[in-house]
Amino acid sequence: MSMLEVKNLNCSYGNVQVLWDVSLKVEEAEIVALLGANGAGKTTLLNCITGLVKPESGSIDFQGESLLGTPGDRIMEKGIAYLPEGGRMFPDMSIRENLEMGAYPKCMWKNRGENIERMFELFPKLKERQKQTASTLSGGEKQMLAMARGLMSNPKLCLFDELSYGLAPIMVNEVFKIVRMLRDQGITVLLVEQNVKQSMEIADRAYVLENGRVSLEGKCADLIDNDYVKRAYLGL
């Protein structure tokens, strides 16, 4: 049984179909990269998985149970954390208050202190500035805070959308290093990224989404040598 399995998913916005029979699997404790250009349907797929968008047909199963029709808060309680592009923090709250907001469900609230300390071990810079207002952080620090807030729910599966967007190269390296650490700790990751090279360096497998359809899939070690991937995504 896969951690996450999407089968023949179709989704439209009004009369415009965005996803066409999309299928993918994410196994436990692996990183899967979802690659593609802007408008390919990557974020729509994540929104379907997290209950933000209702697909027209197909199935979405998490640990063998269907997610279709499940409210977003229940999906999070089942063990899925979603970090949308930009993080979307609470800018006027402190770092610590933002982390507490990541543990608002009753089943997670009682362990918030322990989880905050765990986040401070993973993100030492946040501990140094825990009383600082989130809006005053740098772009890289805001992304770290957004990641930490998502991890406060003790997820089994993390969905990351464009983690590297707008970050300086040194911070991109740091963020990808943390994603690899999460996998090493047993957390499964579905990573949506336009930074194809670095995504494929840390991911186990990848799917290429083009015009709402899966055009390629396989192990990253194989796809990185694919002539089409080299031309279209690696500039080689």
Side-chain angles (χ1 to χ4, degrees):
M1 182 178 63
S2 301
M3 173 72 74
L4 176 72
E5 184 168 8
V6 176
K7 285 185 179 180
N8 304 119
L9 201 70
N10 291 278
C11 182
S12 299
Y13 293 122
N15 295 323
V16 180
Q17 187 160 349
V18 180
L19 298 179
W20 303 74
D21 292 319
V22 171
S23 297
L24 62 80
K25 290 183 179 181
V26 183
E27 306 297 343
E28 186 175 353
E30 74 170 351
I31 299 173
V32 172
L34 183 60
L35 312 174
N38 282 334
K42 305 185 300 297
T43 297
T44 297
L45 177 56
L46 296 189
N47 287 340
C48 287
I49 294 170
T50 53
L52 297 175
V53 172
K54 183 180 179 180
E56 294 175 330
S57 62
S59 62
I60 305 172
D61 293 340
F62 177 64
Q63 294 188 314
E65 295 184 6
S66 176
L67 294 181
L68 295 181
T70 305
D73 58 337
R74 285 288 298 124
I75 289 175
M76 187 184 76
E77 290 177 4
K78 285 177 178 289
I80 298 179
Y82 179 29
L83 178 58
E85 182 181 334
R88 302 178 191 176
M89 304 165 304
F90 298 95
D92 297 326
M93 291 184 176
S94 69
I95 288 175
R96 191 176 189 92
E97 288 169 338
N98 266 273
L99 293 178
E100 289 178 342
M101 289 301 294
Y104 72 86
K106 289 182 179 179
C107 61
M108 303 162 190
W109 184 253
K110 62 181 180 181
N111 297 320
R112 67 189 184 282
E114 177 184 333
N115 285 338
I116 286 175
E117 290 306 314
R118 186 164 58 88
M119 292 305 104
F120 285 160
E121 290 180 8
L122 190 59
F123 304 92
K125 288 185 178 180
L126 298 183
K127 183 174 184 179
E128 298 170 8
R129 307 180 184 185
Q130 59 181 290
K131 296 182 180 180
Q132 190 170 326
T133 304
S135 61
T136 64
L137 300 176
S138 68
E141 291 165 345
K142 288 177 180 177
Q143 191 64 287
M144 288 184 180
L145 176 56
M147 292 178 72
R149 190 186 62 195
L151 293 169
M152 282 291 294
S153 61
N154 291 326
K156 301 171 185 175
L157 170 65
C158 286
L159 310 179
F160 292 138
D161 192 0
E162 302 293 359
L163 280 177
S164 68
Y165 180 77
L167 299 185
I170 189 170
M171 291 307 304
V172 172
N173 292 335
E174 186 67 22
V175 165
F176 276 91
K177 178 181 176 182
I178 292 168
V179 173
R180 188 184 291 112
M181 288 172 58
L182 296 179
R183 190 265 309 279
D184 293 342
Q185 294 175 8
I187 297 175
T188 306
V189 175
L190 178 57
L191 177 66
V192 167
E193 259 295 337
Q194 290 195 60
N195 192 325
V196 174
K197 185 176 185 296
Q198 285 193 270
S199 297
M200 295 183 75
E201 287 176 352
I202 68 167
D204 301 291
R205 295 184 299 109
Y207 291 83
V208 178
L209 199 62
E210 295 184 326
N211 299 317
R213 294 178 170 88
V214 174
S215 60
L216 286 171
E217 62 178 280
K219 294 181 179 179
C220 288
D222 297 329
L223 290 179
I224 205 166
D225 289 327
N226 181 282
D227 289 339
Y228 176 73
V229 172
K230 286 181 178 180
R231 291 194 310 271
Y233 297 100
L234 298 177
L236 301 177

